[in-house]
Amino acid sequence: RVRLLESGGDSVEAGGSLRLSCVVSGYSSCAAWFRESPGKEREGIAAICTGSPYYGASAKGRFTIAQDSTKNTVYLQMRYLKAEDTGMYYCAAERMERGHILDVGDWNSWGQGTQVTVSS
């Protein structure tokens, strides 16, 4: 496993923006962001491998995943936030390619999460 540390979670109003950061300690060629909302199972939000981004339905058109190799950091830029975006956001690394890139089971390492709360 590699270690991951998320930051950037906050409380914002609907329509606002937020950027989450994940510092990866160790090697991982891919990274992803997942969300766990009240009453829902962990959902794949976005992933990036070799510069190619992948997005889940919840993120489409509003969120952007990016990486900075020099800082070993992965970002999730969130715009036009909705109340439904509220939840714990987790950074994942060490893709195992057991299934789809946005499947929880495809990842071996997880951060502790950062809370995002969007008020309507």
Side-chain angles (χ1 to χ4, degrees):
R1 286 185 174 88
V2 300
R3 293 188 297 172
L4 306 103
L5 180 62
E6 304 101 328
S7 63
D10 205 349
S11 296
V12 298
E13 294 184 10
S17 299
L18 207 57
R19 189 180 76 164
L20 307 183
S21 300
C22 173
V23 178
V24 182
S25 298
Y27 177 77
S28 183
S29 59
C30 307
W33 287 96
F34 288 76
R35 179 176 70 205
E36 193 169 296
S37 300
K40 296 183 177 181
E41 55 188 46
R42 194 168 294 189
E43 172 190 6
I45 301 300
I48 187 164
C49 276
T50 60
S52 298
Y54 303 83
Y55 296 101
S58 296
K60 195 162 189 173
R62 301 185 298 122
F63 297 176
T64 303
I65 189 169
Q67 59 187 2
D68 186 338
S69 298
T70 62
K71 297 180 179 179
N72 210 24
T73 302
V74 179
Y75 304 95
L76 183 67
Q77 178 66 57
M78 304 186 292
R79 287 182 278 266
Y80 308 107
L81 284 163
K82 306 174 182 179
E84 307 93 87
D85 295 319
T86 294
M88 284 290 292
Y89 284 72
Y90 298 90
C91 185
E94 285 194 297
R95 189 186 178 206
M96 298 183 289
E97 299 185 26
R98 293 177 178 176
H100 192 272
I101 195 168
L102 293 179
D103 288 345
V104 169
D106 217 42
W107 301 88
N108 191 53
S109 298
W110 297 85
Q112 292 286 85
T114 184
Q115 177 69 35
V116 172
T117 302
V118 184
S119 59
S120 60

